[in-house]
Amino acid sequence: MSRTCDCCGKFFARHPKIQKKVFYDTAGSVKMITEEGLSDSAAIASEISASIYGAKIIARDIGDVRRAEECTVIAGYLRLYTGDIAGAERCYEAAADSARRRGDRQTRSWGLLGIARVNLARGRPELAQGGVAAVLGRGAPEAAPSTASTFGAGRLAIDLERHAASWQGEPLDLTPSEWGI
């Protein structure tokens, strides 16, 4: 049984006739079902995955939302490193937005750092540095001075010397490990 099935045990206990089938990842199961047009199948995945692949949501809150966001960030890493930059960006943005709505600064930071990675992959280091700054939670995104160590892009500002970042003017707190990402 997959980890997804493990974190949705109560749901399966309430619905014993549902047949569980392990798939390589939750977002991938949504993608396969939508691409193949399977009307007799469903996937356990995040709203993020449903929005990325245009799937209909038939039940909510059957699992752990934070775990789903974390998996979406991991899917973003995989997409980025396999060359699917646009797909990676969608994953990171969705995870960051979902975590922001829940007030989870750590998971939001992971998504913002992923967006910074996307910008690096696109050859836009000034935007990437802005993403890191947002995660660090210091500096004003629109007013960040343009120096070798400080830069900003839209809603994101990064100060490499101070290890500070902000998103939409709101400081982002990062642990040393997160800063190293």
Side-chain angles (χ1 to χ4, degrees), residues 66-83:
R66 178 159 188 205
R67 179 175 277 179
E69 291 165 352
E70 291 170 357
C71 290
T72 302
V73 169
I74 292 168
Y77 291 138
L78 295 174
R79 289 176 183 284
L80 183 62
Y81 293 115
T82 59

Side-chain angles (χ1 to χ4, degrees), residues 9-27:
K10 290 179 184 178
F11 175 81
F12 284 112
R14 289 190 314 268
H15 304 283
K17 293 185 180 182
I18 294 177
Q19 179 184 5
K20 295 174 262 186
K21 184 176 180 182
V22 176
F23 201 77
Y24 69 94
D25 75 5
T26 58

Side-chain angles (χ1 to χ4, degrees), residues 77-162:
Y77 291 138
L78 295 174
R79 289 176 183 284
L80 183 62
Y81 293 115
T82 59
D84 181 6
I85 295 172
E89 184 175 41
R90 285 191 305 273
C91 288
Y92 293 137
E93 287 176 344
D97 187 52
S98 175
R100 179 194 53 77
R101 287 192 311 267
R102 289 186 315 98
D104 182 339
R105 294 176 68 128
Q106 181 178 13
T107 305
R108 181 171 164 244
S109 295
W110 295 340
L112 293 174
L113 286 172
I115 294 167
R117 286 186 185 93
V118 165
N119 286 318
L120 282 174
R122 289 184 170 148
R124 298 190 324 219
E126 70 285 352
L127 294 179
Q129 290 171 338
V132 174
V135 171
L136 294 176
R138 297 177 194 96
E142 299 294 338
S146 182
T147 68
S149 66
T150 305
F151 45 93
R155 299 175 289 177
L156 180 62
I158 297 175
D159 184 329
L160 297 175
E161 285 182 21
R162 292 182 12 214

Side-chain angles (χ1 to χ4, degrees), residues 12-80:
F12 284 112
R14 289 190 314 268
H15 304 283
K17 293 185 180 182
I18 294 177
Q19 179 184 5
K20 295 174 262 186
K21 184 176 180 182
V22 176
F23 201 77
Y24 69 94
D25 75 5
T26 58
S29 64
V30 175
K31 180 180 181 184
M32 188 263 311
I33 288 169
T34 57
E35 287 181 351
E36 295 185 15
L38 303 176
S39 61
D40 62 345
S41 300
I44 296 175
S46 65
E47 287 186 43
I48 296 165
S49 297
S51 101
I52 289 170
Y53 297 109
K56 178 182 177 184
I57 297 171
I58 58 174
R60 295 184 192 284
D61 301 324
I62 66 170
D64 182 328
V65 174
R66 178 159 188 205
R67 179 175 277 179
E69 291 165 352
E70 291 170 357
C71 290
T72 302
V73 169
I74 292 168
Y77 291 138
L78 295 174
R79 289 176 183 284
L80 183 62

